[in-house]
Amino acid sequence: MRLLIVEDDRPLGEALAMGLRQLGHVVDLFGDGGHADTALGEVQYDAVVLDLGLPNGDGLTWLERWRGRGLQLPVLILTAREGVENRIAGLDSGADDYLIKPISIDELAARLRALMRRSSGFAQPVWQHGALEYDAAAKTVRWNGQPVELTPRELALLEVLLANPQRVLSKAQLQDKLYDWSGAEPESNALEVYVHHLRRKIHPGIVRTVRGVGYALGSGEPAP
């Protein structure tokens, strides 16, 4: 997933970002709502992890502003504000989940996976596409019942395609999901290399090329 963390406690934010990156996610971290607002206008994120005690406006104010502009993606509030009243206020402001600090990185990742499954229409933890099975929690892939070994970047590309089964995604959209704002620029042909690897390791038809547009999830059926 391409994730946005909005957390003004820098050590905590960096620890969360590092933990999620180690699990294979692409993460951008900002310490205030203003920079996060700018990022949301430029990048297609899969989910937001939002603190409430931000330096330039309460997190709930930013959340209500984003929802008012039509932001659809899942937002998970991660805060020190306890109490039923605070949880109700967060959920009524548009949050999809509300967690109290401190929290383990594994639980945070599991909550984000659950939000992603629901927003993508996959209620089960294992995503099925014909002969392809992808366990997002275990990061394992099977084709026709046989295990397939993929690198973290190949897994990330496959997950993006599975989450958008009816869409053709441009090269820029896919790169947005695979790379953060750390400054590391991808090689010009990196995406094509990852597509080639998925076709070679899984099935030649698993990724469909739409000329002049981009790529889409292909057939999930093995060759006869």
Side-chain angles (χ1 to χ4, degrees):
M1 287 180 280
R2 180 76 185 264
L3 303 173
L4 173 62
I5 296 177
V6 192
E7 171 60 66
D8 68 326
D9 183 334
R10 193 70 187 182
L12 174 59
E14 290 176 348
L16 293 172
M18 180 181 298
L20 291 168
R21 286 174 184 139
Q22 288 174 346
L23 293 173
H25 302 296
V26 178
V27 183
D28 292 323
L29 170 64
F30 295 101
D32 62 85
H35 286 93
D37 189 58
T38 299
L40 284 168
E42 298 180 4
V43 177
Q44 292 185 349
Y45 290 101
D46 294 305
V48 177
V49 178
L50 177 65
D51 182 28
L52 296 184
L54 300 175
N56 63 341
D58 189 81
L60 290 184
T61 302
W62 285 106
L63 177 56
E64 290 170 352
R65 184 178 303 173
W66 296 333
R67 292 304 192 207
R69 291 205 307 248
L71 184 75
Q72 299 284 326
L73 59 84
V75 175
L76 183 153
I77 288 176
L78 181 59
T79 179
R81 294 181 190 173
E82 302 184 67
V84 174
E85 296 83 0
N86 286 320
R87 291 198 294 272
I88 291 173
L91 294 169
D92 283 348
S93 295
D96 298 276
D97 203 351
Y98 191 106
L99 297 178
I100 305 298
K101 301 172 183 174
I103 186 174
S104 78
I105 197 67
D106 290 334
E107 181 181 355
L108 176 60
R111 298 269 190 162
L112 289 168
R113 287 195 299 270
L115 292 178
M116 185 64 183
R117 287 198 304 271
R118 290 199 293 270
S119 67
S120 302
F122 289 90
Q124 299 300 318
V126 177
W127 297 14
Q128 187 93 33
H129 178 65
L132 178 70
E133 292 182 5
Y134 172 54
D135 188 326
K139 298 294 181 185
T140 57
V141 176
R142 288 183 175 272
W143 174 259
N144 221 17
Q146 299 301 311
V148 179
E149 295 293 330
L150 298 179
T151 67
R153 201 76 81 179
E154 292 161 4
L155 279 170
L157 174 58
L158 178 63
E159 186 170 296
V160 173
L161 294 171
L162 284 169
N164 298 274
Q166 308 300 325
R167 292 180 61 193
V168 178
L169 299 170
S170 68
K171 181 175 180 179
Q173 287 174 316
L174 289 169
Q175 286 178 333
D176 270 350
K177 300 292 188 182
L178 300 179
Y179 298 95
D180 59 25
W181 282 8
S182 63
E185 290 292 328
E187 297 289 337
S188 59
N189 67 335
L191 182 61
E192 287 78 4
V193 171
Y194 297 135
V195 168
H196 170 74
H197 289 173
L198 290 183
R199 288 169 172 164
R200 176 174 57 83
K201 293 181 178 182
I202 299 175
H203 184 265
I206 197 62
V207 182
R208 180 166 57 93
T209 299
V210 180
R211 276 189 198 284
V213 183
Y215 298 98
L217 185 66
S219 173
E221 300 303 322

